Amino acid sequence: MSKEWHTASAPGKFVILGEHSVVYGKPAVVLATDRRITCSVRRSKRNTLNGEPIEFSKQPHFRYLTRNLRHAVDFVTRSDIPAGAGLGSSAALSAAVALALSTMAGNDPAERELVEEAYNAELAAQGSGSPMDASACVHGNGIGVNIPGCEDRKLWKFSRGGRSWCVSDIDVPDMTFVIGNTGIRAPTGPQVDKVRRFAKRSNFATEMIEEIGNITLSGYDALRKNDVETLGRMMLMDHKLLSILGVSCKELNKLVNASMPYSYGAKLTGSGGGGCMVALTDEPEKVASVIENRGGTAYIVSAGAQGARVEDGESQSPLFDVSSYE
């Protein structure tokens, strides 16, 4: 039995505009970050994760991604993406594991195939969602979802449950962002379900989802023109609408408000309920400082990172525990 390690990594992501509304087929804009998850795999006599036996009942991503294997696998992971923070930890884990397993099997999957595998693993874990995160973590750089006029840069299209998502590559201007982590774990599934229940019983919620889609298109146009002032305004408007939908919280609002004197705009990023916010700024150190002073953890990030890729060597011990990723 070969003991050769096969290693792959994938970046996290943050949503500039459009989370939650993208589940309903509306547009979204997402950028990959320079924070990554790395996974190493090798054939084994039993299934292990970082040296411990895997309980597949508690590991839906790994359960799905190993569904067709006829042998056991040792998994070693390393992550600098916190779980449940809205930074694409679930999708990045799924993409890195899927690519490492494909490499071990001697395959070189196309991006579209890798996105589908990672997206289905997320659905197995969460039960619902869009292919936005998986697309961003596999492709890297920046993606637009259902953005009119991007047909010449189309990457792929997914359809599910009567909704469609057309994913396109977009350019990422040289902008500076600071992510603030509240430290509150907020898995995606319950937040998506909360908005779905609200939309079913209220036309007002449906109108908010539609308006988020309109704001996203305006924000994308500003991003394309490198117009940070307009993009910042759209981010703040998006945050206010997401708050009305009930997916923000006082801790997120506190970090958003604290960053505004030094930012063009700020908003929650990801599913909300906790997790992270993101600020667009020319003064990243000041924004990071006020976030830390308000009890958050700040990350100054580079956007537009490379997507899922094969790596050399074995992943080392984890920074964040991927066994808790949902």
Side-chain angles (χ1 to χ4, degrees):
M1 179 180 297
S2 172
K3 291 295 184 179
E4 180 183 1
W5 287 101
H6 301 271
T7 302
S9 74
K13 59 80 197 176
F14 61 98
V15 182
I16 295 296
L17 295 162
E19 54 268 273
H20 284 289
S21 64
V22 72
V23 176
Y24 301 89
K26 306 302 180 185
V29 179
V30 192
L31 305 182
T33 77
D34 52 355
R35 304 181 73 84
R36 305 182 74 87
I37 288 179
T38 302
C39 178
S40 297
V41 300
R42 66 179 179 183
R43 290 174 178 261
S44 181
K45 294 181 179 179
R46 62 173 186 163
N47 292 301
T48 66
L49 174 58
N50 296 326
E52 299 293 331
I54 294 182
E55 294 184 54
F56 282 116
S57 62
K58 298 179 180 179
Q59 298 288 347
H61 302 87
F62 290 90
R63 182 175 64 237
Y64 178 83
L65 293 167
T66 58
R67 67 198 183 281
N68 294 325
L69 291 184
R70 297 185 177 181
H71 58 80
V73 178
D74 289 323
F75 295 91
V76 175
T77 57
R78 182 176 178 83
S79 173
D80 55 9
I81 306 173
L87 300 181
S89 59
S90 173
L93 175 66
S94 298
V97 172
L99 182 55
L101 290 173
S102 292
T103 303
M104 182 176 65
N107 299 325
D108 182 17
E111 277 193 345
R112 174 64 169 75
E113 296 175 78
L114 195 56
V115 170
E116 186 165 10
E117 188 74 351
Y119 177 37
N120 286 334
E122 281 201 279
L123 290 176
Q126 300 169 1
S128 61
S130 79
M132 176 182 72
D133 284 12
S135 294
C137 295
V138 169
H139 180 66
N141 193 40
I143 63 162
V145 182
N146 293 342
I147 302 289
C150 289
E151 289 79 8
D152 60 331
R153 300 182 68 172
K154 176 180 174 182
L155 295 170
W156 42 74
K157 183 176 181 179
F158 281 88
S159 296
R160 190 181 295 268
R163 299 187 178 97
S164 295
W165 299 275
C166 182
V167 180
S168 302
D169 174 69
I170 63 172
D171 293 325
V172 182
D174 185 14
M175 295 179 176
T176 304
F177 296 92
V178 179
I179 290 172
N181 189 357
T182 64
I184 300 171
R185 284 287 308 276
T188 299
Q191 298 300 314
V192 172
D193 288 341
K194 178 190 291 187
V195 174
R196 179 179 290 108
R197 291 194 301 269
F198 192 6
K200 281 185 177 180
R201 69 175 186 266
S202 170
N203 289 334
F204 177 69
T206 304
E207 292 171 0
M208 293 299 98
I209 291 168
E210 189 71 31
E211 183 59 22
I212 289 173
N214 294 334
I215 287 172
T216 299
L217 292 178
S218 297
Y220 169 71
D221 188 57
L223 179 72
R224 186 173 56 83
K225 296 176 180 177
N226 204 8
D227 179 356
V228 290
E229 293 184 356
T230 300
L231 177 57
R233 286 198 302 271
M234 295 302 104
M235 290 171 64
L236 189 57
M237 290 174 64
D238 191 11
H239 179 75
K240 291 178 179 178
L241 292 175
L242 290 167
S243 297
I244 293 171
L245 286 175
V247 295
S248 190
C249 63
K250 63 180 182 180
E251 292 84 0
L252 279 168
N253 293 339
K254 182 168 65 174
L255 298 187
V256 167
N257 293 336
S259 71
M260 281 308 300
Y262 310 105
S263 303
Y264 295 106
K267 59 181 285 292
L268 69 84
T269 185
S271 59
C276 293
M277 49 73 68
V278 61
L280 171 61
T281 180
D282 287 337
E283 301 180 276
E285 290 79 13
K286 287 184 177 180
V287 172
S289 179
V290 297
I291 287 172
E292 297 278 352
N293 288 338
R294 298 302 192 281
T297 301
Y299 315 118
I300 298 174
V301 298
S302 297
Q306 184 180 1
R309 68 192 183 205
V310 175
E311 305 280 5
D312 293 326
E314 177 192 349
S315 176
Q316 302 301 309
S317 58
L319 296 175
F320 291 105
D321 181 10
V322 301
S323 67
S324 62
Y325 280 19
E326 298 179 14

PDB file of all heavy atoms in Angstrom, residues 89-116:
ATOM      1  N   SER A  89     -15.263  28.561   5.027  1.00  0.00           N
ATOM      2  CA  SER A  89     -14.522  27.419   5.563  1.00  0.00           C
ATOM      3  C   SER A  89     -15.057  26.094   5.038  1.00  0.00           C
ATOM      4  O   SER A  89     -14.285  25.199   4.682  1.00  0.00           O
ATOM      5  CB  SER A  89     -14.574  27.438   7.094  1.00  0.00           C
ATOM      6  OG  SER A  89     -15.916  27.388   7.567  1.00  0.00           O
ATOM      7  N   SER A  90     -16.375  25.954   4.965  1.00  0.00           N
ATOM      8  CA  SER A  90     -16.974  24.705   4.508  1.00  0.00           C
ATOM      9  C   SER A  90     -16.621  24.426   3.047  1.00  0.00           C
ATOM     10  O   SER A  90     -16.229  23.309   2.688  1.00  0.00           O
ATOM     11  CB  SER A  90     -18.492  24.776   4.685  1.00  0.00           C
ATOM     12  OG  SER A  90     -19.126  23.647   4.115  1.00  0.00           O
ATOM     13  N   ALA A  91     -16.747  25.444   2.202  1.00  0.00           N
ATOM     14  CA  ALA A  91     -16.458  25.261   0.775  1.00  0.00           C
ATOM     15  C   ALA A  91     -14.976  25.032   0.531  1.00  0.00           C
ATOM     16  O   ALA A  91     -14.583  24.202  -0.303  1.00  0.00           O
ATOM     17  CB  ALA A  91     -16.942  26.472  -0.016  1.00  0.00           C
ATOM     18  N   ALA A  92     -14.119  25.774   1.246  1.00  0.00           N
ATOM     19  CA  ALA A  92     -12.677  25.597   1.078  1.00  0.00           C
ATOM     20  C   ALA A  92     -12.246  24.211   1.523  1.00  0.00           C
ATOM     21  O   ALA A  92     -11.423  23.557   0.864  1.00  0.00           O
ATOM     22  CB  ALA A  92     -11.922  26.667   1.859  1.00  0.00           C
ATOM     23  N   LEU A  93     -12.799  23.738   2.634  1.00  0.00           N
ATOM     24  CA  LEU A  93     -12.499  22.377   3.084  1.00  0.00           C
ATOM     25  C   LEU A  93     -12.931  21.359   2.045  1.00  0.00           C
ATOM     26  O   LEU A  93     -12.171  20.454   1.679  1.00  0.00           O
ATOM     27  CB  LEU A  93     -13.205  22.111   4.416  1.00  0.00           C
ATOM     28  CG  LEU A  93     -13.089  20.678   4.952  1.00  0.00           C
ATOM     29  CD1 LEU A  93     -11.654  20.351   5.331  1.00  0.00           C
ATOM     30  CD2 LEU A  93     -14.017  20.477   6.151  1.00  0.00           C
ATOM     31  N   SER A  94     -14.148  21.501   1.550  1.00  0.00           N
ATOM     32  CA  SER A  94     -14.668  20.559   0.556  1.00  0.00           C
ATOM     33  C   SER A  94     -13.819  20.564  -0.703  1.00  0.00           C
ATOM     34  O   SER A  94     -13.512  19.500  -1.267  1.00  0.00           O
ATOM     35  CB  SER A  94     -16.122  20.913   0.223  1.00  0.00           C
ATOM     36  OG  SER A  94     -16.950  20.808   1.357  1.00  0.00           O
ATOM     37  N   ALA A  95     -13.415  21.756  -1.158  1.00  0.00           N
ATOM     38  CA  ALA A  95     -12.615  21.852  -2.380  1.00  0.00           C
ATOM     39  C   ALA A  95     -11.230  21.249  -2.184  1.00  0.00           C
ATOM     40  O   ALA A  95     -10.720  20.520  -3.050  1.00  0.00           O
ATOM     41  CB  ALA A  95     -12.506  23.312  -2.815  1.00  0.00           C
ATOM     42  N   ALA A  96     -10.598  21.543  -1.048  1.00  0.00           N
ATOM     43  CA  ALA A  96      -9.252  21.024  -0.796  1.00  0.00           C
ATOM     44  C   ALA A  96      -9.265  19.506  -0.663  1.00  0.00           C
ATOM     45  O   ALA A  96      -8.407  18.806  -1.219  1.00  0.00           O
ATOM     46  CB  ALA A  96      -8.671  21.667   0.459  1.00  0.00           C
ATOM     47  N   VAL A  97     -10.245  18.971   0.071  1.00  0.00           N
ATOM     48  CA  VAL A  97     -10.341  17.515   0.241  1.00  0.00           C
ATOM     49  C   VAL A  97     -10.631  16.848  -1.098  1.00  0.00           C
ATOM     50  O   VAL A  97     -10.009  15.837  -1.453  1.00  0.00           O
ATOM     51  CB  VAL A  97     -11.424  17.158   1.275  1.00  0.00           C
ATOM     52  CG1 VAL A  97     -11.657  15.649   1.308  1.00  0.00           C
ATOM     53  CG2 VAL A  97     -11.031  17.658   2.661  1.00  0.00           C
ATOM     54  N   ALA A  98     -11.575  17.411  -1.858  1.00  0.00           N
ATOM     55  CA  ALA A  98     -11.935  16.819  -3.150  1.00  0.00           C
ATOM     56  C   ALA A  98     -10.751  16.797  -4.108  1.00  0.00           C
ATOM     57  O   ALA A  98     -10.514  15.795  -4.804  1.00  0.00           O
ATOM     58  CB  ALA A  98     -13.099  17.584  -3.766  1.00  0.00           C
ATOM     59  N   LEU A  99      -9.979  17.894  -4.152  1.00  0.00           N
ATOM     60  CA  LEU A  99      -8.836  17.946  -5.062  1.00  0.00           C
ATOM     61  C   LEU A  99      -7.732  16.999  -4.601  1.00  0.00           C
ATOM     62  O   LEU A  99      -7.103  16.319  -5.426  1.00  0.00           O
ATOM     63  CB  LEU A  99      -8.309  19.375  -5.166  1.00  0.00           C
ATOM     64  CG  LEU A  99      -7.130  19.590  -6.122  1.00  0.00           C
ATOM     65  CD1 LEU A  99      -7.462  19.083  -7.532  1.00  0.00           C
ATOM     66  CD2 LEU A  99      -6.729  21.065  -6.161  1.00  0.00           C
ATOM     67  N   ALA A 100      -7.490  16.915  -3.308  1.00  0.00           N
ATOM     68  CA  ALA A 100      -6.469  15.989  -2.805  1.00  0.00           C
ATOM     69  C   ALA A 100      -6.837  14.543  -3.125  1.00  0.00           C
ATOM     70  O   ALA A 100      -5.984  13.745  -3.545  1.00  0.00           O
ATOM     71  CB  ALA A 100      -6.299  16.192  -1.296  1.00  0.00           C
ATOM     72  N   LEU A 101      -8.106  14.183  -2.927  1.00  0.00           N
ATOM     73  CA  LEU A 101      -8.549  12.821  -3.239  1.00  0.00           C
ATOM     74  C   LEU A 101      -8.443  12.532  -4.735  1.00  0.00           C
ATOM     75  O   LEU A 101      -8.055  11.423  -5.140  1.00  0.00           O
ATOM     76  CB  LEU A 101      -9.980  12.614  -2.756  1.00  0.00           C
ATOM     77  CG  LEU A 101     -10.191  12.556  -1.243  1.00  0.00           C
ATOM     78  CD1 LEU A 101     -11.683  12.528  -0.913  1.00  0.00           C
ATOM     79  CD2 LEU A 101      -9.500  11.325  -0.640  1.00  0.00           C
ATOM     80  N   SER A 102      -8.793  13.516  -5.567  1.00  0.00           N
ATOM     81  CA  SER A 102      -8.680  13.337  -7.016  1.00  0.00           C
ATOM     82  C   SER A 102      -7.231  13.133  -7.426  1.00  0.00           C
ATOM     83  O   SER A 102      -6.910  12.284  -8.271  1.00  0.00           O
ATOM     84  CB  SER A 102      -9.263  14.552  -7.746  1.00  0.00           C
ATOM     85  OG  SER A 102     -10.654  14.621  -7.572  1.00  0.00           O
ATOM     86  N   THR A 103      -6.331  13.909  -6.817  1.00  0.00           N
ATOM     87  CA  THR A 103      -4.909  13.776  -7.121  1.00  0.00           C
ATOM     88  C   THR A 103      -4.393  12.406  -6.712  1.00  0.00           C
ATOM     89  O   THR A 103      -3.620  11.771  -7.437  1.00  0.00           O
ATOM     90  CB  THR A 103      -4.118  14.881  -6.403  1.00  0.00           C
ATOM     91  OG1 THR A 103      -4.623  16.157  -6.786  1.00  0.00           O
ATOM     92  CG2 THR A 103      -2.646  14.811  -6.757  1.00  0.00           C
ATOM     93  N   MET A 104      -4.822  11.923  -5.546  1.00  0.00           N
ATOM     94  CA  MET A 104      -4.427  10.592  -5.093  1.00  0.00           C
ATOM     95  C   MET A 104      -4.885   9.517  -6.076  1.00  0.00           C
ATOM     96  O   MET A 104      -4.190   8.516  -6.290  1.00  0.00           O
ATOM     97  CB  MET A 104      -5.003  10.322  -3.706  1.00  0.00           C
ATOM     98  CG  MET A 104      -4.617   8.967  -3.121  1.00  0.00           C
ATOM     99  SD  MET A 104      -5.225   8.721  -1.431  1.00  0.00           S
ATOM    100  CE  MET A 104      -7.002   8.723  -1.720  1.00  0.00           C
ATOM    101  N   ALA A 105      -6.065   9.733  -6.683  1.00  0.00           N
ATOM    102  CA  ALA A 105      -6.607   8.760  -7.637  1.00  0.00           C
ATOM    103  C   ALA A 105      -6.002   8.912  -9.034  1.00  0.00           C
ATOM    104  O   ALA A 105      -6.367   8.162  -9.949  1.00  0.00           O
ATOM    105  CB  ALA A 105      -8.122   8.921  -7.723  1.00  0.00           C
ATOM    106  N   GLY A 106      -5.101   9.885  -9.190  1.00  0.00           N
ATOM    107  CA  GLY A 106      -4.458  10.089 -10.486  1.00  0.00           C
ATOM    108  C   GLY A 106      -5.274  10.919 -11.448  1.00  0.00           C
ATOM    109  O   GLY A 106      -5.008  10.903 -12.655  1.00  0.00           O
ATOM    110  N   ASN A 107      -6.244  11.649 -10.939  1.00  0.00           N
ATOM    111  CA  ASN A 107      -7.106  12.471 -11.789  1.00  0.00           C
ATOM    112  C   ASN A 107      -6.734  13.949 -11.685  1.00  0.00           C
ATOM    113  O   ASN A 107      -6.176  14.395 -10.684  1.00  0.00           O
ATOM    114  CB  ASN A 107      -8.569  12.300 -11.380  1.00  0.00           C
ATOM    115  CG  ASN A 107      -9.034  10.863 -11.524  1.00  0.00           C
ATOM    116  OD1 ASN A 107      -8.616  10.151 -12.440  1.00  0.00           O
ATOM    117  ND2 ASN A 107      -9.888  10.417 -10.610  1.00  0.00           N
ATOM    118  N   ASP A 108      -7.063  14.674 -12.731  1.00  0.00           N
ATOM    119  CA  ASP A 108      -6.849  16.127 -12.778  1.00  0.00           C
ATOM    120  C   ASP A 108      -8.180  16.772 -13.151  1.00  0.00           C
ATOM    121  O   ASP A 108      -8.435  17.069 -14.319  1.00  0.00           O
ATOM    122  CB  ASP A 108      -5.767  16.474 -13.801  1.00  0.00           C
ATOM    123  CG  ASP A 108      -5.466  17.965 -13.850  1.00  0.00           C
ATOM    124  OD1 ASP A 108      -5.844  18.680 -12.900  1.00  0.00           O
ATOM    125  OD2 ASP A 108      -4.864  18.419 -14.855  1.00  0.00           O
ATOM    126  N   PRO A 109      -9.065  16.983 -12.180  1.00  0.00           N
ATOM    127  CA  PRO A 109     -10.418  17.445 -12.504  1.00  0.00           C
ATOM    128  C   PRO A 109     -10.447  18.865 -13.038  1.00  0.00           C
ATOM    129  O   PRO A 109      -9.641  19.720 -12.631  1.00  0.00           O
ATOM    130  CB  PRO A 109     -11.136  17.365 -11.149  1.00  0.00           C
ATOM    131  CG  PRO A 109     -10.054  17.533 -10.139  1.00  0.00           C
ATOM    132  CD  PRO A 109      -8.855  16.845 -10.729  1.00  0.00           C
ATOM    133  N   ALA A 110     -11.368  19.112 -13.957  1.00  0.00           N
ATOM    134  CA  ALA A 110     -11.609  20.476 -14.415  1.00  0.00           C
ATOM    135  C   ALA A 110     -12.239  21.266 -13.275  1.00  0.00           C
ATOM    136  O   ALA A 110     -12.837  20.701 -12.353  1.00  0.00           O
ATOM    137  CB  ALA A 110     -12.544  20.467 -15.628  1.00  0.00           C
ATOM    138  N   GLU A 111     -12.117  22.587 -13.327  1.00  0.00           N
ATOM    139  CA  GLU A 111     -12.687  23.428 -12.270  1.00  0.00           C
ATOM    140  C   GLU A 111     -14.167  23.157 -12.076  1.00  0.00           C
ATOM    141  O   GLU A 111     -14.656  23.073 -10.946  1.00  0.00           O
ATOM    142  CB  GLU A 111     -12.483  24.911 -12.602  1.00  0.00           C
ATOM    143  CG  GLU A 111     -11.133  25.467 -12.233  1.00  0.00           C
ATOM    144  CD  GLU A 111     -11.105  26.985 -12.285  1.00  0.00           C
ATOM    145  OE1 GLU A 111     -12.028  27.596 -12.868  1.00  0.00           O
ATOM    146  OE2 GLU A 111     -10.158  27.567 -11.731  1.00  0.00           O
ATOM    147  N   ARG A 112     -14.894  23.026 -13.163  1.00  0.00           N
ATOM    148  CA  ARG A 112     -16.345  22.802 -13.082  1.00  0.00           C
ATOM    149  C   ARG A 112     -16.666  21.518 -12.308  1.00  0.00           C
ATOM    150  O   ARG A 112     -17.589  21.485 -11.486  1.00  0.00           O
ATOM    151  CB  ARG A 112     -16.930  22.745 -14.495  1.00  0.00           C
ATOM    152  CG  ARG A 112     -18.419  22.370 -14.582  1.00  0.00           C
ATOM    153  CD  ARG A 112     -19.288  23.419 -13.902  1.00  0.00           C
ATOM    154  NE  ARG A 112     -20.703  23.229 -14.178  1.00  0.00           N
ATOM    155  CZ  ARG A 112     -21.479  22.286 -13.633  1.00  0.00           C
ATOM    156  NH1 ARG A 112     -20.947  21.418 -12.784  1.00  0.00           N
ATOM    157  NH2 ARG A 112     -22.759  22.211 -13.929  1.00  0.00           N
ATOM    158  N   GLU A 113     -15.892  20.456 -12.556  1.00  0.00           N
ATOM    159  CA  GLU A 113     -16.095  19.197 -11.840  1.00  0.00           C
ATOM    160  C   GLU A 113     -15.804  19.356 -10.353  1.00  0.00           C
ATOM    161  O   GLU A 113     -16.531  18.830  -9.497  1.00  0.00           O
ATOM    162  CB  GLU A 113     -15.178  18.114 -12.413  1.00  0.00           C
ATOM    163  CG  GLU A 113     -15.433  17.720 -13.849  1.00  0.00           C
ATOM    164  CD  GLU A 113     -14.389  16.734 -14.323  1.00  0.00           C
ATOM    165  OE1 GLU A 113     -14.501  15.544 -13.960  1.00  0.00           O
ATOM    166  OE2 GLU A 113     -13.453  17.141 -15.020  1.00  0.00           O
ATOM    167  N   LEU A 114     -14.739  20.095 -10.045  1.00  0.00           N
ATOM    168  CA  LEU A 114     -14.356  20.287  -8.656  1.00  0.00           C
ATOM    169  C   LEU A 114     -15.398  21.128  -7.915  1.00  0.00           C
ATOM    170  O   LEU A 114     -15.720  20.852  -6.751  1.00  0.00           O
ATOM    171  CB  LEU A 114     -12.978  20.946  -8.586  1.00  0.00           C
ATOM    172  CG  LEU A 114     -12.255  20.919  -7.235  1.00  0.00           C
ATOM    173  CD1 LEU A 114     -12.099  19.495  -6.731  1.00  0.00           C
ATOM    174  CD2 LEU A 114     -10.893  21.597  -7.372  1.00  0.00           C
ATOM    175  N   VAL A 115     -15.932  22.145  -8.580  1.00  0.00           N
ATOM    176  CA  VAL A 115     -16.985  22.955  -7.973  1.00  0.00           C
ATOM    177  C   VAL A 115     -18.203  22.090  -7.658  1.00  0.00           C
ATOM    178  O   VAL A 115     -18.795  22.184  -6.566  1.00  0.00           O
ATOM    179  CB  VAL A 115     -17.389  24.118  -8.893  1.00  0.00           C
ATOM    180  CG1 VAL A 115     -18.643  24.815  -8.372  1.00  0.00           C
ATOM    181  CG2 VAL A 115     -16.259  25.122  -9.004  1.00  0.00           C
ATOM    182  N   GLU A 116     -18.592  21.248  -8.601  1.00  0.00           N
ATOM    183  CA  GLU A 116     -19.772  20.407  -8.392  1.00  0.00           C
ATOM    184  C   GLU A 116     -19.574  19.462  -7.204  1.00  0.00           C
ATOM    185  O   GLU A 116     -20.484  19.271  -6.384  1.00  0.00           O
ATOM    186  CB  GLU A 116     -20.072  19.609  -9.655  1.00  0.00           C
ATOM    187  CG  GLU A 116     -21.366  18.831  -9.569  1.00  0.00           C
ATOM    188  CD  GLU A 116     -21.841  18.339 -10.921  1.00  0.00           C
ATOM    189  OE1 GLU A 116     -21.086  18.440 -11.899  1.00  0.00           O
ATOM    190  OE2 GLU A 116     -22.984  17.852 -10.987  1.00  0.00           O
TER     191      GLU A 116
END
